[in-house]
Amino acid sequence: MRNLDVAVLRAFVTVAETGSMTGAAEMLNLTQGAISQQIKRLETQFERALFERTRKGLHLTQDGEKLLRKAQRMLVLNDEIWQEMRDDGYVGKLTVGIPYDLVGSFMRTPLRKFCDQYPGVELSLRCHSSPELKTFVQNGEVDIALIEEPVGQITGDCLLVAPLVWVGAKSGKAQTKRPLPVSLVSRECAFRPAVIDGLDRAGIAWRSVFESGNIEATAATVRSDLSVTAFLVGTIPDGLEALRGGDELPELPKYAISLMEKTGAHNEVRDVFAGMVRSHFHQL
């Protein structure tokens, strides 16, 4: 009787859930080539295609759908056995704060990795602006949070420094309009003071188009070429692009992504999560 490789099954399930080899590679911290080889190996073993490759991406075949349901169950059982047999299994609750723009960019991989390795921990997310998250940590409402802060005003443990750039629709023209149409996620957005100060210093008239508290809605507004916005390099949503210097917009400052932890009693689970996040950012 032949045995299934759990690592290969995990690659298959992750590709199915993310819809792409690239997304799966990011989640599993592997190269896209390694993921592709694992899927090919599985298809060779079963002698049937598991994915249909089209211009719109990857789609499960009927055989792939059949395998996915049982592969997911097998991974759950594998992870439960692993957790029960380990001597260093952690249990407890952890509330993590993350700004809207970092959840699907910088934090997708460490969140998935932590949940896979420590299923005994009940992890809850609080997504808000950085100023709000800083207050939540200080008040003890959140155990640990990522905070976006201007370089020179860093209050947490700096993990990464990234440029803040103007962003617009691909081949868009919103940046040429005056007053400049601007969309920001919310009035509490960490980037708002830098954006407004830069425009005022440059003498560029502007108007607020959209402030919803929803990053997807903000991105959709910019994607429709109704306005421009600002994102950190590395967090720009699909369908948008960084605007170049020729667009006559003021240069924006660099921001730090920092880790801020609640003070008080020692929390071993929080330390484990913090260590995993630091390790992830150090590898970027």
Side-chain angles (χ1 to χ4, degrees), residues 34-258:
I35 295 293
S36 180
Q37 288 177 1
Q38 289 178 321
I39 299 303
K40 184 177 181 180
R41 174 183 168 189
L42 203 55
E43 291 181 323
T44 300
Q45 288 177 332
F46 292 139
E47 297 182 349
R48 61 194 65 197
L50 300 174
F51 290 98
E52 179 184 5
R53 295 156 178 81
T54 68
R55 291 183 179 180
K56 295 183 178 181
L58 295 176
H59 300 279
L60 285 169
T61 62
Q62 187 173 358
D63 289 320
E65 292 279 4
K66 186 190 304 181
L67 175 62
L68 178 62
R69 293 189 293 271
K70 293 188 176 181
Q72 289 171 326
R73 285 159 49 193
M74 190 169 178
L75 290 180
V76 169
L77 182 58
N78 173 85
D79 294 344
E80 287 178 355
I81 293 172
W82 182 255
Q83 184 64 31
E84 288 177 3
M85 298 305 294
R86 287 178 57 172
D87 293 330
D88 60 349
Y90 290 97
V91 295
K93 297 182 179 181
L94 186 69
T95 303
V96 179
I98 306 177
Y100 303 101
D101 56 321
L102 300 185
V103 174
S105 53
F106 287 110
M107 285 301 293
R108 181 171 59 184
T109 297
L111 284 172
R112 174 66 178 269
K113 187 175 180 180
F114 181 83
C115 290
D116 284 346
Q117 292 189 15
Y118 304 102
V121 176
E122 296 180 15
L123 189 147
S124 300
L125 289 184
R126 296 279 300 273
C127 290
H128 296 273
S129 68
S130 290
E132 290 173 311
L133 289 175
K134 185 181 294 188
T135 300
F136 293 157
V137 174
Q138 293 169 342
N139 292 343
E141 299 176 53
V142 170
D143 296 306
I144 187 169
L146 265 70
I147 304 293
E148 295 162 322
E149 306 173 296
V151 172
Q153 302 177 31
I154 300 173
T155 57
D157 176 14
C158 181
L159 302 176
L160 181 75
V161 172
L164 182 65
V165 295
W166 292 102
V167 172
K170 291 184 177 180
S171 303
K173 298 180 180 180
Q175 63 271 21
T176 64
K177 298 178 181 178
R178 296 295 182 273
L180 181 72
V182 178
S183 288
L184 294 170
V185 176
S186 70
R187 295 192 66 83
E188 294 79 24
C189 176
F191 308 144
R192 183 183 175 88
V195 167
I196 293 176
D197 182 65
L199 292 172
D200 289 346
R201 286 178 178 272
I204 297 176
W206 63 278
R207 65 184 181 88
S208 178
V209 174
F210 190 76
E211 291 177 344
S212 70
N214 185 310
I215 194 168
E216 290 301 327
T218 301
T221 304
V222 178
R223 199 175 286 120
S224 300
D225 202 27
L226 297 178
S227 62
V228 298
T229 189
F231 277 101
L232 293 181
V233 169
T235 69
I236 300 174
D238 293 339
L240 305 181
E241 64 181 5
L243 301 176
R244 307 304 173 188
D247 294 311
E248 299 181 356
L249 295 177
E251 183 176 353
L252 297 173
K254 292 183 178 181
Y255 271 69
I257 298 175
S258 303

